[in-house]
Amino acid sequence: MIWILRHGDAEAGEDKPDAARDLTEKGEQQSVNAGRALKKLGVELDVCLTSPKVRAKRTADFACDALGAEVEVDDRLAGGDFDPLELAAGRGEVMLVGHEPDCSQAIALVTGSRVKMKKGGLAGFDDHILHVLMRPKDLKEIAGD
């Protein structure tokens, strides 16, 4: 199974370079909720790959804290098209943390499903089939917060 998590809500960053933009408190909570929801659903990640941008890396760290999963930075998730099958090859159950429109495009590439990922939203697929698409409010409800 491959999970794609769009980074949580981020600060506007008028005075910062794009890569340095951090999560807001809301984004931190969205990220925690994603990890807690996945844990409650019984997901056991083998690895989490994340964009090196601060907002994505912190999303991955918060989400994976609940899951006890290792987080690795992968520059291929920093922006632009990516192939989730290539990134996840041989890695077991994987979560990829990135940005829009890249996350939605990656899902379409693999599954043919047109989606629009919300900040802090999560999708899960395998065998070219989209099994789940959850909004941040869905994850919050599952997480119990």
Short mmCIF file of all heavy atoms in Angstrom, two decimals, residues 76-107:
data_model
loop_
_atom_site.label_atom_id
_atom_site.label_comp_id
_atom_site.label_asym_id
_atom_site.label_seq_id
_atom_site.Cartn_x
_atom_site.Cartn_y
_atom_site.Cartn_z
N ARG A 76 13.08 14.10 -4.68
CA ARG A 76 12.12 13.93 -5.78
C ARG A 76 10.72 14.37 -5.37
O ARG A 76 9.85 14.57 -6.23
CB ARG A 76 12.10 12.47 -6.25
CG ARG A 76 13.43 12.04 -6.88
CD ARG A 76 13.45 10.58 -7.21
NE ARG A 76 13.52 9.79 -5.96
CZ ARG A 76 13.58 8.47 -5.90
NH1 ARG A 76 13.54 7.76 -7.02
NH2 ARG A 76 13.67 7.85 -4.75
N LEU A 77 10.50 14.59 -4.08
CA LEU A 77 9.19 15.05 -3.59
C LEU A 77 9.16 16.56 -3.33
O LEU A 77 8.17 17.09 -2.86
CB LEU A 77 8.82 14.30 -2.31
CG LEU A 77 8.52 12.81 -2.49
CD1 LEU A 77 8.52 12.10 -1.15
CD2 LEU A 77 7.21 12.62 -3.21
N ALA A 78 10.24 17.26 -3.68
CA ALA A 78 10.36 18.69 -3.39
C ALA A 78 9.48 19.57 -4.25
O ALA A 78 9.22 20.72 -3.90
CB ALA A 78 11.81 19.13 -3.52
N GLY A 79 9.01 19.06 -5.35
CA GLY A 79 8.15 19.85 -6.24
C GLY A 79 8.29 19.36 -7.66
O GLY A 79 9.40 19.09 -8.11
N GLY A 80 7.17 19.18 -8.31
CA GLY A 80 7.17 18.65 -9.67
C GLY A 80 6.65 17.22 -9.69
O GLY A 80 6.41 16.61 -8.65
N ASP A 81 6.45 16.71 -10.89
CA ASP A 81 5.90 15.36 -11.04
C ASP A 81 6.81 14.31 -10.42
O ASP A 81 8.03 14.42 -10.45
CB ASP A 81 5.72 15.03 -12.53
CG ASP A 81 4.64 15.86 -13.19
OD1 ASP A 81 3.79 16.44 -12.47
OD2 ASP A 81 4.64 15.95 -14.43
N PHE A 82 6.17 13.29 -9.84
CA PHE A 82 6.91 12.14 -9.32
C PHE A 82 6.07 10.89 -9.55
O PHE A 82 4.85 10.95 -9.65
CB PHE A 82 7.28 12.30 -7.84
CG PHE A 82 6.11 12.35 -6.89
CD1 PHE A 82 5.59 11.18 -6.34
CD2 PHE A 82 5.54 13.56 -6.53
CE1 PHE A 82 4.52 11.22 -5.46
CE2 PHE A 82 4.47 13.61 -5.65
CZ PHE A 82 3.96 12.44 -5.11
N ASP A 83 6.75 9.76 -9.62
CA ASP A 83 6.08 8.48 -9.81
C ASP A 83 6.10 7.76 -8.46
O ASP A 83 7.15 7.29 -8.01
CB ASP A 83 6.81 7.65 -10.86
CG ASP A 83 6.16 6.30 -11.12
OD1 ASP A 83 5.33 5.85 -10.31
OD2 ASP A 83 6.51 5.68 -12.15
N PRO A 84 4.94 7.64 -7.81
CA PRO A 84 4.92 6.99 -6.49
C PRO A 84 5.35 5.53 -6.53
O PRO A 84 5.92 5.03 -5.56
CB PRO A 84 3.48 7.14 -6.02
CG PRO A 84 2.69 7.54 -7.21
CD PRO A 84 3.63 8.12 -8.20
N LEU A 85 5.09 4.86 -7.63
CA LEU A 85 5.50 3.45 -7.74
C LEU A 85 7.02 3.33 -7.74
O LEU A 85 7.59 2.43 -7.12
CB LEU A 85 4.91 2.80 -8.98
CG LEU A 85 3.38 2.75 -9.04
CD1 LEU A 85 2.93 2.12 -10.35
CD2 LEU A 85 2.80 2.02 -7.85
N GLU A 86 7.68 4.25 -8.43
CA GLU A 86 9.14 4.26 -8.46
C GLU A 86 9.72 4.57 -7.08
O GLU A 86 10.65 3.91 -6.62
CB GLU A 86 9.62 5.31 -9.47
CG GLU A 86 11.11 5.47 -9.56
CD GLU A 86 11.49 6.60 -10.50
OE1 GLU A 86 10.97 6.64 -11.63
OE2 GLU A 86 12.30 7.45 -10.08
N LEU A 87 9.14 5.56 -6.41
CA LEU A 87 9.63 5.94 -5.08
C LEU A 87 9.44 4.82 -4.06
O LEU A 87 10.28 4.62 -3.18
CB LEU A 87 8.91 7.20 -4.59
CG LEU A 87 9.32 8.50 -5.24
CD1 LEU A 87 8.33 9.60 -4.91
CD2 LEU A 87 10.71 8.90 -4.77
N ALA A 88 8.34 4.10 -4.16
CA ALA A 88 8.01 3.08 -3.17
C ALA A 88 8.56 1.70 -3.50
O ALA A 88 8.50 0.80 -2.66
CB ALA A 88 6.49 3.00 -3.02
N ALA A 89 9.11 1.51 -4.68
CA ALA A 89 9.55 0.19 -5.13
C ALA A 89 10.46 -0.49 -4.11
O ALA A 89 11.48 0.07 -3.68
CB ALA A 89 10.27 0.30 -6.48
N GLY A 90 10.05 -1.69 -3.70
CA GLY A 90 10.85 -2.50 -2.80
C GLY A 90 10.90 -2.02 -1.37
O GLY A 90 11.69 -2.52 -0.57
N ARG A 91 10.06 -1.06 -1.01
CA ARG A 91 10.12 -0.46 0.34
C ARG A 91 9.00 -0.93 1.26
O ARG A 91 8.91 -0.48 2.39
CB ARG A 91 10.06 1.08 0.24
CG ARG A 91 11.07 1.76 -0.66
CD ARG A 91 12.52 1.67 -0.22
NE ARG A 91 12.84 2.18 1.06
CZ ARG A 91 13.34 3.37 1.32
NH1 ARG A 91 13.55 4.23 0.35
NH2 ARG A 91 13.63 3.72 2.56
N GLY A 92 8.09 -1.79 0.79
CA GLY A 92 6.98 -2.24 1.62
C GLY A 92 5.87 -1.21 1.65
O GLY A 92 5.56 -0.57 0.64
N GLU A 93 5.26 -1.04 2.83
CA GLU A 93 4.18 -0.04 2.97
C GLU A 93 4.82 1.32 3.19
O GLU A 93 5.58 1.53 4.14
CB GLU A 93 3.25 -0.40 4.13
CG GLU A 93 2.02 0.45 4.16
CD GLU A 93 0.80 -0.26 4.73
OE1 GLU A 93 0.85 -1.48 4.98
OE2 GLU A 93 -0.22 0.42 4.90
N VAL A 94 4.50 2.26 2.30
CA VAL A 94 5.21 3.54 2.24
C VAL A 94 4.23 4.70 2.31
O VAL A 94 3.14 4.64 1.74
CB VAL A 94 6.01 3.64 0.92
CG1 VAL A 94 6.71 4.98 0.79
CG2 VAL A 94 7.02 2.51 0.83
N MET A 95 4.65 5.77 2.99
CA MET A 95 3.92 7.03 2.93
C MET A 95 4.83 8.07 2.28
O MET A 95 6.01 8.16 2.61
CB MET A 95 3.48 7.52 4.30
CG MET A 95 2.65 8.80 4.23
SD MET A 95 1.67 9.15 5.71
CE MET A 95 2.95 9.44 6.92
N LEU A 96 4.26 8.82 1.35
CA LEU A 96 4.96 9.89 0.66
C LEU A 96 4.34 11.21 1.09
O LEU A 96 3.11 11.36 1.03
CB LEU A 96 4.84 9.72 -0.86
CG LEU A 96 5.24 8.36 -1.42
CD1 LEU A 96 4.94 8.29 -2.91
CD2 LEU A 96 6.70 8.07 -1.15
N VAL A 97 5.14 12.17 1.51
CA VAL A 97 4.64 13.46 1.96
C VAL A 97 5.15 14.54 1.01
O VAL A 97 6.36 14.67 0.81
CB VAL A 97 5.07 13.77 3.41
CG1 VAL A 97 4.50 15.11 3.86
CG2 VAL A 97 4.64 12.65 4.35
N GLY A 98 4.20 15.26 0.42
CA GLY A 98 4.60 16.25 -0.58
C GLY A 98 3.63 17.41 -0.69
O GLY A 98 2.96 17.79 0.27
N HIS A 99 3.55 17.93 -1.90
CA HIS A 99 2.89 19.19 -2.19
C HIS A 99 1.86 19.03 -3.32
O HIS A 99 1.86 18.04 -4.03
CB HIS A 99 3.94 20.23 -2.61
CG HIS A 99 5.10 20.29 -1.66
ND1 HIS A 99 5.09 21.05 -0.52
CD2 HIS A 99 6.30 19.64 -1.66
CE1 HIS A 99 6.23 20.88 0.13
NE2 HIS A 99 6.98 20.03 -0.54
N GLU A 100 1.05 20.06 -3.48
CA GLU A 100 0.11 20.12 -4.60
C GLU A 100 0.70 21.02 -5.68
O GLU A 100 1.44 21.95 -5.36
CB GLU A 100 -1.22 20.72 -4.15
CG GLU A 100 -2.17 19.70 -3.55
CD GLU A 100 -2.61 18.63 -4.53
OE1 GLU A 100 -3.50 18.89 -5.36
OE2 GLU A 100 -2.06 17.52 -4.47
N PRO A 101 0.39 20.77 -6.91
CA PRO A 101 -0.54 19.76 -7.43
C PRO A 101 0.09 18.38 -7.61
O PRO A 101 -0.52 17.46 -8.13
CB PRO A 101 -0.96 20.33 -8.77
CG PRO A 101 0.27 21.05 -9.25
CD PRO A 101 0.91 21.63 -8.00
N ASP A 102 1.33 18.22 -7.14
CA ASP A 102 2.09 16.99 -7.37
C ASP A 102 1.41 15.74 -6.80
O ASP A 102 1.41 14.69 -7.44
CB ASP A 102 3.49 17.11 -6.79
CG ASP A 102 4.15 18.43 -7.12
OD1 ASP A 102 3.86 18.99 -8.19
OD2 ASP A 102 4.95 18.91 -6.30
N CYS A 103 0.87 15.85 -5.58
CA CYS A 103 0.24 14.68 -4.95
C CYS A 103 -0.96 14.20 -5.77
O CYS A 103 -1.08 13.01 -6.07
CB CYS A 103 -0.19 15.01 -3.53
SG CYS A 103 1.18 15.23 -2.37
N SER A 104 -1.83 15.13 -6.15
CA SER A 104 -3.00 14.76 -6.95
C SER A 104 -2.61 14.20 -8.30
O SER A 104 -3.21 13.23 -8.79
CB SER A 104 -3.91 15.98 -7.15
OG SER A 104 -4.47 16.39 -5.91
N GLN A 105 -1.59 14.77 -8.91
CA GLN A 105 -1.12 14.27 -10.21
C GLN A 105 -0.52 12.87 -10.09
O GLN A 105 -0.71 12.03 -10.97
CB GLN A 105 -0.11 15.25 -10.82
CG GLN A 105 -0.77 16.54 -11.27
CD GLN A 105 0.23 17.61 -11.70
OE1 GLN A 105 1.42 17.52 -11.42
NE2 GLN A 105 -0.28 18.63 -12.36
N ALA A 106 0.17 12.60 -8.99
CA ALA A 106 0.75 11.27 -8.78
C ALA A 106 -0.34 10.22 -8.62
O ALA A 106 -0.23 9.11 -9.16
CB ALA A 106 1.66 11.29 -7.56
N ILE A 107 -1.40 10.57 -7.92
CA ILE A 107 -2.53 9.65 -7.76
C ILE A 107 -3.18 9.37 -9.11
O ILE A 107 -3.49 8.22 -9.44
CB ILE A 107 -3.54 10.20 -6.74
CG1 ILE A 107 -2.89 10.23 -5.35
CG2 ILE A 107 -4.83 9.38 -6.74
CD1 ILE A 107 -3.64 11.07 -4.34
#
